[in-house]
Amino acid sequence: MSILDKETQSRIDSWLTNEYDEETVAQVQKLIDDNQESELLDAFYKELEFGTGGLRGIMGVGSNRMNKYTIGKATQGLSNYLKKQFPNEQIKVAVSYDSRNNSQGFGHLVADVFSANGIHVFLFEQLRPTPMLSFAVRHYSCHAGVMLTASHNPKEYNGYKAYWNDGGQLVPPHDKNVIAEVNAIQSVAEIKFERVPENITLIDESFDDIYVEANKRLSIHPEAVAAQKDLKIVYSPIHGTGITVVPKMLKTWGFTNVTVVEEQATPDGNFPTVVYPNPEEEEAMSIAKKKGQEVGADIIMTTDPDADRVGVAVRNSNGEYQLLNGNQIGSLLTYYVLSSYKDKGLLKENDYIVKTIVTTNLITDISESFNVKSYETLTGFKYIGEVMTQKLGQENYLVGGEESYGFLVGDLVRDKDAVNACAFIAEMTAYFKNQGKTLFEVLLDLYVQYGFYKEKLISLTKKGKAGADEIKQMMKNLRENKPEILGGVKVAEIRDYLALEATNLNSNEITKIDLPKSDVLQFITIDGDVISARPSGTEPKIKFYCSVKESLLDKSQYESVAAKLEQKVENIMADIVKE
């Protein structure tokens, strides 16, 4: 008996018509001939949709795959929407791409479709980081932008990040409205693929200098960089776009002793030296750590393929290189920026910082201690960018970030920016080295001052339609059987971001959550622990986050308190993570 439902079969049949090129039809027919029903189901059971990171999927034939037709359809839908939104204007868009397989070809395809629709395209001549695409949208006063990337996903993936005229990724209502326009396209014949060369302007490498110089003007302590210009920095782009601009940024900032990890310096969509090109993974940073040990690095940094996320390793109290997690990096950056602004008398009453709901509350504690307002958003840096746009001209954005290694200092772009973050992390390292401290020692100081926060993330991968159904069921089960005790600690509050309700379990009082709807559940214990569950918007995963806290009276107690908190995290996760 076939596992293909009528809707899926209908999509398959439509891809066998002469609307599609011979190669595509042949690939679909081969899957049918080889009786690859599971592959056919995964490739055709739905249309790719915009999630927290835009359009993203495995490359190949099918409505649920990244290919010429799904990308063409998305671009045609976006073109149609732009024309409706800006009916009497010459519409402009910017397009860039990363080092992934097919990214350059996809980038040119997107430019072709836009140009065929009478839209003027600023197309990067060569691969460049995602934050530079956001910067270009703002610099050229574009109405939109597209970045071809799947960020840190495995090599089989590619993606399509769509940006609005503020330089931020699409947020409501634009994301859903674009999807409606895409879904309204009934035939491939409606997609205009024929390139109009006069509608395309190439952005060459001279644009790098504009971006780099704009960032350099944000430097807070250039005197610290000058004093520590020979700071030993090891950097790896993990075969991605970071190589095109991070070394130049660090050099322009004033750092003269930057060692690039040569084994990972060449852009390569197969990412041959890592399992996943994700700086969150210990394995992905192993070569950079080895190089750091060889040269005695003060700081080790790696960026993902589109250079919007940065991983960091520093020497710990035992002299060993230790990876910092995204919560720790974000806390250090927040403290550095706010304390430096205060010392220089630059803090203003309307300054603010932003973090996401699954990012450590240590960042909030730090901002409150400096009397700086903090905002929380849903997961995804596009929501941080949305706050920046909403507050523009009324309040001053200083720094923001999310636990998934995405940060931004200053408001030059509306997305996380690892190039910008690398420069500030290096400057921060130089500043504290001038004071005789490592970043790890500063982190311990923060724990003593604000409390020792320890976080953990567990991701469960559930591929294909069956996996998507399983993730839905897991969230359904959590809602129907809400845990009242986690790790032996009583749950005090439950926040359901889909219902937009927070329930106090002691009083049964329900308060409204003032955020857009999102499939996230949070459990807050009487100890203040925060446990979150959410399906990923960019990968076939469900993610569980845990953050616990305890006082750290003295840095000498770090190891013992860390072990105690680790055990508490393990106990909590054992109660909530059910495979």
Side-chain angles (χ1 to χ4, degrees):
M1 182 177 173
S2 174
I3 62 173
L4 303 175
D5 57 81
K6 286 184 179 180
E7 191 175 347
T8 300
Q9 187 62 59
S10 176
R11 287 199 187 95
I12 295 169
D13 292 342
S14 71
W15 280 61
L16 293 171
T17 65
N18 59 11
E19 282 196 334
Y20 295 84
D21 61 59
E22 290 182 6
E23 183 182 355
T24 297
V25 172
Q27 288 175 322
V28 176
Q29 189 60 54
K30 188 174 190 310
L31 290 173
I32 296 170
D33 294 343
D34 293 346
N35 201 31
Q36 297 289 320
E37 285 206 339
S38 293
E39 173 61 25
L40 284 165
L41 181 64
D42 287 346
F44 287 96
Y45 82 93
K46 67 172 184 175
E47 304 276 347
L48 275 180
E49 296 178 357
F50 284 96
T52 56
L55 196 69
R56 193 176 298 192
I58 295 171
M59 290 177 278
V61 294
S63 60
N64 189 38
R65 294 285 187 259
M66 291 293 296
N67 53 60
K68 170 183 176 180
Y69 297 102
T70 54
I71 291 171
K73 188 176 179 182
T75 308
Q76 186 62 53
L78 180 53
S79 298
N80 295 346
Y81 185 63
L82 286 166
K83 288 180 178 181
K84 289 180 179 179
Q85 289 291 300
F86 307 102
N88 301 311
E89 298 181 37
Q90 171 57 62
I91 299 170
K92 298 181 290 184
V93 301
V95 177
S96 186
Y97 49 89
D98 71 0
S99 62
R100 285 182 175 271
N101 295 329
N102 300 316
S103 280
Q104 183 175 16
F106 287 158
H108 282 263
L109 169 70
V110 169
D112 292 350
V113 175
F114 279 134
S115 72
N117 280 276
I119 293 171
H120 194 87
V121 184
F122 291 91
L123 174 65
F124 278 83
E125 199 169 34
Q126 297 175 321
L127 75 171
R128 283 299 183 272
T130 288
M132 287 190 69
L133 183 278
S134 176
F135 184 80
V137 169
R138 295 169 62 76
H139 179 79
Y140 291 112
S141 300
C142 292
H143 299 77
V146 172
M147 177 73 192
L148 282 304
T149 178
S151 190
H152 59 290
N153 280 54
K155 64 183 180 180
E156 297 82 13
Y157 284 77
N158 215 316
Y160 180 109
K161 289 183 179 179
Y163 290 76
W164 201 238
N165 59 4
D166 63 342
Q169 290 184 55
L170 294 186
V171 293
H174 301 304
D175 53 357
K176 299 299 183 187
N177 291 345
V178 170
I179 291 170
E181 290 290 345
V182 173
N183 292 341
I185 296 171
Q186 298 299 311
S187 167
V188 171
E190 296 176 52
I191 304 172
K192 299 175 182 177
F193 283 111
E194 200 62 40
R195 183 186 186 99
V196 179
E198 56 266 33
N199 285 344
I200 298 176
T201 298
L202 294 179
I203 301 176
D204 63 26
E205 62 183 17
S206 65
F207 187 71
D208 298 352
D209 295 329
I210 298 171
Y211 168 74
V212 168
E213 288 298 329
N215 272 280
K216 176 66 169 64
R217 289 192 288 272
L218 298 175
S219 174
I220 306 171
H221 283 294
E223 75 286 352
V225 176
Q228 298 288 344
K229 65 180 181 180
D230 62 345
L231 189 80
K232 294 178 181 176
I233 301 170
V234 166
Y235 168 68
S236 170
I238 317 184
H239 306 290
T241 59
I243 191 63
T244 64
V245 68
V246 171
K248 178 182 276 190
M249 180 75 84
L250 293 171
K251 182 179 179 181
T252 302
W253 218 264
F255 295 103
T256 60
N257 192 3
V258 179
T259 300
V260 175
V261 178
E262 290 301 325
E263 300 96 315
Q264 298 177 321
T266 302
D268 187 337
N270 292 315
F271 311 113
T273 64
V274 296
V275 177
Y276 299 113
N278 185 355
E280 296 180 59
E281 302 286 344
E282 184 102 26
E283 182 271 335
M285 287 191 70
S286 59
I287 296 177
K289 281 176 66 178
K290 184 179 178 183
K291 179 61 69 174
Q293 289 165 350
E294 290 175 10
V295 304
D298 293 295
I299 189 81
I300 300 169
M301 298 183 289
T302 62
T303 53
D304 67 343
D306 65 324
D308 64 353
R309 298 171 190 247
V310 57
V312 176
V314 298
R315 286 192 188 277
N316 61 23
S317 303
N318 301 320
E320 301 166 339
Y321 286 108
Q322 178 172 324
L323 267 62
L324 299 180
N325 64 39
N327 290 301
Q328 293 168 327
I329 300 168
S331 298
L332 284 165
L333 275 172
T334 302
Y335 179 76
Y336 172 67
V337 172
L338 299 191
S339 62
S340 296
Y341 267 57
K342 181 181 179 182
D343 291 345
K344 293 203 166 201
L346 298 174
L347 281 182
K348 302 182 183 72
E349 282 189 11
N350 57 351
D351 289 336
Y352 71 94
I353 64 103
V354 198
K355 75 174 192 71
T356 67
I357 58 174
V358 296
T359 302
T360 180
N361 285 326
L362 175 55
I363 290 175
T364 306
D365 292 348
I366 292 169
S367 66
E368 287 177 352
S369 74
F370 287 98
N371 293 316
V372 172
K373 191 181 297 182
S374 64
Y375 292 101
E376 274 199 336
T377 71
L378 295 176
T379 307
F381 212 94
K382 67 178 185 178
Y383 295 113
I384 295 178
E386 182 182 27
V387 170
M388 294 170 68
T389 295
Q390 290 171 345
K391 303 294 179 186
L392 189 63
Q394 302 162 19
E395 300 179 33
N396 302 312
Y397 171 88
L398 296 182
V399 60
E402 54 184 353
E403 57 75 38
S404 55
Y405 293 63
F407 317 101
L408 175 68
V409 181
D411 66 350
L412 291 177
V413 302
R414 292 291 183 272
D415 207 346
K416 52 186 177 287
D417 186 344
V419 186
N420 162 283
C422 279
F424 272 100
I425 290 165
E427 178 180 294
M428 174 171 63
T429 306
Y431 174 76
F432 287 118
K433 188 175 182 182
N434 251 1
Q435 299 180 359
K437 292 182 178 181
T438 66
L439 287 190
F440 190 79
E441 288 169 330
V442 176
L443 183 65
L444 296 190
D445 287 339
L446 296 184
Y447 287 158
V448 170
Q449 183 175 354
Y450 299 104
F452 189 167
Y453 282 85
K454 192 167 187 62
E455 290 87 15
K456 184 169 185 175
L457 166 66
I458 293 179
S459 296
L460 303 182
T461 300
K462 307 287 184 180
K463 294 184 178 180
K465 184 180 186 302
D469 292 341
E470 189 176 350
I471 288 171
K472 284 182 181 178
Q473 187 60 46
M474 291 172 78
M475 292 299 293
K476 184 172 184 284
N477 290 344
L478 269 176
R479 284 191 168 89
E480 292 177 351
N481 304 286
K482 297 180 179 70
E484 296 181 1
I485 294 177
L486 288 170
V489 184
K490 188 177 179 182
V491 175
E493 183 182 346
I494 298 174
R495 298 173 187 168
D496 188 335
Y497 290 86
L498 200 57
L500 294 179
E501 291 181 344
T503 304
N504 183 310
L505 296 189
N506 287 328
S507 63
N508 287 323
E509 182 184 356
I510 297 175
T511 56
K512 291 293 181 183
I513 297 172
D514 186 22
L515 284 172
K517 286 187 177 183
S518 183
D519 191 9
V520 181
L521 279 171
Q522 276 190 332
F523 305 91
I524 294 87
T525 73
I526 57 173
D527 287 354
D529 311 315
V530 182
I531 303 94
S532 310
R534 63 174 282 268
S536 170
T538 58
E539 301 171 272
K541 292 180 177 180
I542 183 169
K543 296 184 174 184
F544 297 90
Y545 309 76
C546 181
S547 176
V548 298
K549 175 189 177 183
E550 185 160 319
S551 296
L552 183 65
L553 300 179
D554 187 86
K555 288 190 281 189
S556 63
Q557 299 176 351
Y558 169 75
E559 298 287 352
S560 60
V561 176
K564 181 180 178 182
L565 290 176
E566 181 65 32
Q567 186 58 58
K568 186 175 187 180
V569 169
E570 292 299 322
N571 293 342
I572 289 172
M573 287 302 208
D575 281 350
I576 197 166
V577 180
K578 310 291 185 184
E579 292 220 39

